[in-house]
Amino acid sequence: MWLFNMPNTRTAGMLQSGRSIFLHLPAMLLLAGLVALTAGCGFHLRGSAALPESMAVTFIKSNQPYSSLVDDFSAALKIRDVRVTQERGEATAVLNIIENTIDTGVLSVNTSGKVLEYEIIQTIRFSVVTAGDEPLVPEQTIQLNRDYVFSSTDVLGKQRENNVVRANLQTNIVNLAMLRIAAAARQGN
């Protein structure tokens, strides 16, 4: 009993740290239970979709080879361990960007006819073929839209918001295209 009365001894410190472990025990048990529950139901993080092996070296063909869409596709392919080439001859696959259109429309106006909301609509059409022009992914069309509130008193801020909305919209379209390519590869196997 004399150990409990001596606060400066090494044993007293060990007893206090032992008590703090017991204070955190319910939280640790809850966390372990949640991990076991999610693992048991088959849950796992999605990660990036696996692309076909025949896309190991890909050439991106577009009417606008220096566009931000080509840059976004190139970045998405590199994340998935695909080498993007500038030379058509060394490619094992070709990603054809057939169409890329961006339209802006008015969603709502106020009583004096001034615009309150805009809608941005982006549509892409693409396909993927092997180096021998055999289709890996038939022609696909993806269309997404986003809207944003417009204020005539904050034109500069709304222009920046427009740019951010367009960039996010395009990133989402490219990610959907990658998922479609991966799905087509799974169906082909």
Side-chain angles (χ1 to χ4, degrees), residues 118-138:
Y118 279 108
E119 177 181 43
I120 301 171
I121 304 165
Q122 184 169 6
T123 305
I124 65 165
R125 283 188 313 133
F126 71 96
S127 66
V128 181
V129 296
T130 63
D133 285 333
E134 296 175 26
L136 279 175
V137 179

Side-chain angles (χ1 to χ4, degrees), residues 8-56:
N8 292 332
T9 65
R10 185 173 154 209
T11 310
M14 288 174 26
L15 288 174
Q16 282 185 343
S17 66
R19 258 187 260 146
S20 67
I21 289 174
F22 288 115
L23 292 176
H24 296 294
L25 186 62
M28 290 188 296
L29 288 174
L30 179 64
L31 181 63
L34 287 174
V35 168
L37 185 65
T38 56
C41 74
F43 173 80
H44 61 280
L45 295 175
R46 182 175 74 189
S48 61
L51 299 180
E53 299 251 341
S54 54
M55 288 186 70

Side-chain angles (χ1 to χ4, degrees), residues 130-146:
T130 63
D133 285 333
E134 296 175 26
L136 279 175
V137 179
E139 188 175 302
Q140 304 273 323
T141 301
I142 300 175
Q143 182 179 53
L144 289 179
N145 63 325
R146 297 287 183 268

Side-chain angles (χ1 to χ4, degrees), residues 57-124:
V57 180
T58 300
F59 175 76
I60 301 174
K61 179 182 172 189
S62 172
N63 293 337
Q64 301 170 334
Y66 303 107
S67 70
S68 61
L69 181 63
V70 171
D71 293 341
D72 287 352
F73 266 113
S74 180
L77 288 168
K78 288 176 184 174
I79 286 172
R80 290 162 177 86
D81 296 325
V82 172
R83 186 168 69 87
V84 178
T85 181
Q86 301 297 319
E87 300 297 323
R88 170 73 168 93
E90 67 182 40
T92 58
V94 178
L95 170 64
N96 295 307
I97 301 173
I98 302 162
E99 178 186 13
N100 177 27
T101 59
I102 301 173
D103 296 318
T104 303
V106 175
L107 276 182
S108 63
V109 293
N110 64 13
T111 56
S112 61
K114 293 185 179 180
V115 175
L116 294 175
E117 285 182 292
Y118 279 108
E119 177 181 43
I120 301 171
I121 304 165
Q122 184 169 6
T123 305
I124 65 165

Side-chain angles (χ1 to χ4, degrees), residues 116-185:
L116 294 175
E117 285 182 292
Y118 279 108
E119 177 181 43
I120 301 171
I121 304 165
Q122 184 169 6
T123 305
I124 65 165
R125 283 188 313 133
F126 71 96
S127 66
V128 181
V129 296
T130 63
D133 285 333
E134 296 175 26
L136 279 175
V137 179
E139 188 175 302
Q140 304 273 323
T141 301
I142 300 175
Q143 182 179 53
L144 289 179
N145 63 325
R146 297 287 183 268
D147 58 87
Y148 67 97
V149 178
F150 181 77
S151 171
S152 59
T153 60
D154 188 18
V155 176
L156 291 177
K158 290 304 171 179
Q159 183 59 42
R160 276 186 240 120
E161 181 180 1
N162 180 327
N163 293 340
V164 168
V165 168
R166 283 178 187 249
N168 287 337
L169 182 66
Q170 186 163 289
T171 300
N172 290 341
I173 279 187
V174 168
N175 287 334
L176 284 173
M178 292 294 117
L179 288 173
R180 286 196 184 181
I181 292 169

